[in-house]
Amino acid sequence: MEHEILLDDLSLNSRAAVRELDFNGAERRRMLDLGLCEGSVVEPVLKSPLGSPVAYLICGTLIALRRCDSRRIVVTPLAAKGGI
Amino acid sequence: MSHADISPALHNDQPVIALMGNPNVGKSTIFNLLTGLRQHTGNWPGKTVAVASGEFSSDGRSYRIIDLPGTYSLSAASPEEEVALDYLCFERADVTLVVADATALERNLGLVLQTLEVTGRVVLCVNLMDEAKRRGISVDIEVLQSSLAIPVVAVSAARGEGVSELLCALDSAGCDSVNTRPVPYGPVLENALDTLCECLPALCERERRFVALRMLLGEEAFARRFAAERGVETKTEQLASALNHAQKILRVSGAGPERICDVIAKRRAAMAEELSQNAVRTSCSTRGRRNLKIDRVLTSRRLGIPIMLLLLCAVFWLTITGANYPSAVLSTLLFSLGDVMGGALLSLGAPAWLHGLLISGIWRTVAWVIAVMLPPMAIFFPLFTLLEDLGYLPRVAFNLDHAFYRCGACGRQALTMCMGFGCNAAGVIGCRIISSPRERLIAILTNSLVPCNGRFAPPHLWQQPV
């Protein structure tokens, strides 16, 4: 069974695959355009001093998402990548 | 590179080039490079999207080029995307030049693939090659060119490299029957698309697919307009029943319009990833690691905000103390000049009101403004630009976003407020970087709460009698 968590709860420098987006309409399309489609790999890299936003590595680019948005994305953690 | 063969020209019947790309990929740099105009694509915040247009000539031919707004996609979720999509579909430029960022090619390819769904007359310009090289990223242009079946050119617009190759590619592009492999959307959606495509024989394969896709996405009006522009009638019985059938196919497999969007995005992203993996090689660069370490410090919980406050205080301190001496010199100079001119006027027998108007009024005001505002601005803005060139400013927005969010505003407002310390008018214009209209309005209205250089006069003037 796949273990699912909110993107907001993903710890720094661990990787996860996107499963669901709790957005509709234009917001959903915006998220899809940023690369957050089902199956894409995301990795939190930087966290702001105030806790939000968090910069995620998505499709090779660092994108900052606020907690209110990352709490609406469900992901499945992946095993750590070997090497770099 | 010589500018000899790039000069602005004015002719009719010029081929039109549409310039597209993600935001911040150097589109405007390329636009300026080609047109030779130092053009600043600005728009007053809150107004509709502005589109810049220019002309250039190359090899004796003259071209018109339109700089469309930067967009991540053509899904028409924002006014910029609507403008870009509208232009692409209905203005029908002769060549569409898509500019991509070599350091983020995978994400940029999404837009390229979407553009290729509308027109085959595309040239891909991979910009920021110098930046990519610095980060240890190498892009194989040949591989990209053969995968996409369109001309691909590597450019470093900031350095002016690759422009002649770009001009050649623009000259040679212009054939709509380019054989780019379309994005495979999976068996269900492809089945539905085929059903519709059969009823649109008058369009070319690419356009058929595009119209069919839009219809399935629920954008029938748009699809019909697209077809009508190309002289194809879509109000036929045959098409209507094909659409019903296609929608049934999708319903049976549980796919409504929202679900289709997901599938499309996912498949497109997968193809972009595949193209990127074939063409891009990243070597582990020490520069990348060092930058990441620096970023971790700049955004850390303990040091992030203190460093930020320290840097901003340093900028202010340098501005105020640095401006002090030049301000004193300028004010003494200009005021004494004013006295001399006043004396001369009076000795010529000029009436008091003229002296009042010219010297006490016009001259004194101008002198004040120059003495008080010019030196601090001449120091503040270069320092601010230095921070911007170092790439530090996005970290400021990143650090402060939450605080601004709690006030109903956006982290980018921190940047416009910093600009406001230099000049409130510049700060307000800078608010165009905020995308949400409400947050932008808040940033504009509160910008004047920040004292600009003209309002915190240099210390020596605090005791000056007015």
Side-chain angles (χ1 to χ4, degrees):
Chain A
M1 197 191 83
E2 282 185 343
H3 167 56
E4 285 186 349
I5 57 172
L6 297 176
L7 182 59
D8 184 44
D9 296 328
L10 189 63
S11 42
L12 277 190
N13 300 318
S14 56
R15 297 162 79 232
V18 175
R19 285 289 159 250
E20 276 166 42
L21 297 175
D22 184 18
F23 295 94
N24 290 310
E27 275 190 314
R28 192 187 186 89
R29 288 199 192 180
R30 166 63 66 235
M31 289 294 156
L32 292 173
D33 292 339
L34 286 176
L36 286 169
C37 8
E38 203 218 318
S40 340
V41 176
V42 300
E43 183 186 337
V45 176
L46 295 170
K47 191 167 176 176
S48 169
L50 299 172
S52 166
V54 174
Y56 297 95
L57 191 64
I58 304 171
C59 291
T61 322
L62 268 184
I63 294 177
L65 290 175
R66 290 176 175 155
R67 288 194 69 191
C68 59
D69 291 327
S70 62
R71 294 195 72 77
R72 294 160 80 180
I73 300 171
V74 178
V75 302
T76 308
L78 299 170
K81 186 164 64 167
I84 306 147
Chain B
M1 187 217 78
S2 89
H3 282 276
D5 49 359
I6 303 172
S7 54
L10 287 158
H11 296 290
N12 289 324
D13 302 322
Q14 301 161 297
V16 176
I17 300 174
L19 198 55
M20 280 179 58
N22 284 10
N24 300 323
V25 296
K27 250 183 339 95
S28 296
T29 315
I30 291 182
F31 179 75
N32 293 339
L33 207 60
L34 290 175
T35 59
L37 300 164
R38 291 185 68 78
Q39 252 213 43
H40 180 62
T41 313
N43 58 302
W44 290 105
K47 262 222 174 132
T48 48
V49 178
V51 169
S53 142
E55 277 138 354
F56 69 95
S57 66
S58 141
D59 255 1
R61 287 181 80 188
S62 89
Y63 298 88
R64 211 155 70 87
I65 181 165
I66 312 286
D67 187 8
L68 294 172
T71 56
Y72 290 109
S73 135
L74 295 174
S75 54
S78 72
E80 286 83 9
E81 289 175 5
E82 275 178 44
V83 169
L85 182 62
D86 255 16
Y87 195 93
L88 197 62
C89 295
F90 303 115
E91 300 299 326
R92 296 211 264 172
D94 296 282
V95 179
T96 303
L97 176 58
V98 184
V99 183
D101 181 348
T103 64
L105 198 61
E106 188 181 331
R107 196 187 63 196
N108 281 244
L109 281 173
L111 185 64
V112 178
L113 292 171
Q114 287 189 60
T115 311
L116 283 168
E117 283 180 345
V118 182
T119 166
R121 290 173 287 179
V122 177
V123 171
L124 173 60
C125 169
V126 181
N127 195 19
L128 299 169
M129 290 296 283
D130 48 337
E131 181 64 29
K133 194 169 164 193
R134 249 177 272 146
R135 295 196 206 175
I137 301 171
S138 76
V139 178
D140 191 335
I141 301 291
E142 303 290 326
V143 166
L144 260 184
Q145 189 155 305
S146 61
S147 321
L148 288 170
I150 54 171
V152 179
V153 183
V155 165
S156 291
R159 292 200 186 162
E161 289 168 4
V163 182
S164 41
E165 289 90 338
L166 181 60
L167 291 169
C168 279
L170 287 171
D171 269 334
S172 64
C175 174
D176 214 356
S177 59
V178 154
N179 283 338
T180 314
R181 189 167 50 108
V183 179
Y185 287 127
V188 174
L189 196 49
E190 289 291 339
N191 192 3
L193 284 171
D194 284 337
T195 314
L196 277 173
C197 284
E198 277 167 6
C199 304
L200 296 162
L203 291 169
C204 74
E205 192 185 322
R206 178 196 323 276
E207 290 170 345
R208 245 182 273 162
R209 211 175 146 80
F210 181 70
V211 169
L213 201 60
R214 290 284 154 165
M215 288 192 135
L216 290 176
L217 280 169
E219 293 167 28
E220 280 180 48
F222 181 87
R224 288 188 199 285
R225 191 180 152 209
F226 185 88
E229 272 280 313
R230 285 149 181 81
V232 171
E233 178 56 57
T234 48
K235 287 207 170 85
T236 57
E237 283 268 338
Q238 195 193 18
L239 189 61
S241 71
L243 183 58
N244 271 332
H245 186 54
Q247 283 166 339
K248 209 191 298 180
I249 296 176
L250 293 174
R251 257 199 311 271
V252 159
S253 58
E258 289 259 307
R259 190 85 183 84
I260 301 177
C261 272
D262 286 6
V263 169
I264 291 174
K266 185 176 169 187
R267 297 284 176 159
R268 194 181 292 138
M271 186 158 173
E273 189 184 358
E274 185 196 321
L275 288 168
S276 166
Q277 275 170 354
N278 291 342
V280 179
R281 296 276 166 273
T282 311
S283 61
C284 195
S285 80
T286 43
R287 192 167 205 261
R289 273 200 299 253
R290 186 196 66 187
N291 282 350
L292 192 58
K293 269 197 202 139
I294 294 176
D295 265 336
R296 289 210 165 101
V297 172
L298 292 177
T299 59
S300 72
R301 193 186 287 183
R302 277 183 309 141
L303 291 176
I305 302 217
I307 292 179
M308 192 180 73
L309 291 173
L310 201 69
L311 272 173
L312 291 175
C313 283
V315 168
F316 286 130
W317 184 82
L318 281 170
T319 304
I320 294 174
T321 49
N324 213 12
Y325 183 67
S327 251
V329 166
L330 273 175
S331 75
T332 320
L333 188 68
L334 293 173
F335 277 105
S336 49
L337 195 59
D339 290 337
V340 164
M341 289 196 299
L345 257 185
L346 287 175
S347 67
L348 286 172
W353 64 264
L354 189 64
H355 177 276
L357 177 69
L358 292 177
I359 305 299
S360 306
I362 297 177
W363 181 259
R364 192 161 266 203
T365 315
V366 172
W368 263 116
V369 170
I370 293 180
V372 168
M373 289 184 70
L374 185 61
M377 280 194 177
I379 300 174
F380 179 86
F381 281 117
L383 284 177
F384 197 67
T385 308
L386 182 66
L387 282 181
E388 185 186 347
D389 285 347
L390 287 173
Y392 180 64
L393 295 183
R395 277 79 187 155
V396 172
F398 185 72
N399 287 347
L400 292 177
D401 181 72
H402 189 64
F404 278 97
Y405 175 69
R406 294 281 293 271
C407 300
C410 172
R412 287 181 233 181
Q413 184 170 336
L415 304 179
T416 59
M417 288 181 107
C418 285
M419 282 281 275
F421 277 114
C423 171
N424 285 131
V428 166
I429 294 177
C431 291
R432 70 191 185 98
I433 62 173
I434 301 173
S435 33
S436 150
R438 206 181 108 263
E439 291 169 354
R440 194 188 297 151
L441 191 61
I442 293 175
I444 294 173
L445 292 175
T446 54
N447 198 279
S448 56
L449 297 176
V450 159
C452 71
N453 275 187
R455 287 196 267 164
F456 59 82
H460 84 277
L461 285 175
W462 293 345
Q463 285 130 28
Q464 177 94 293
V466 175

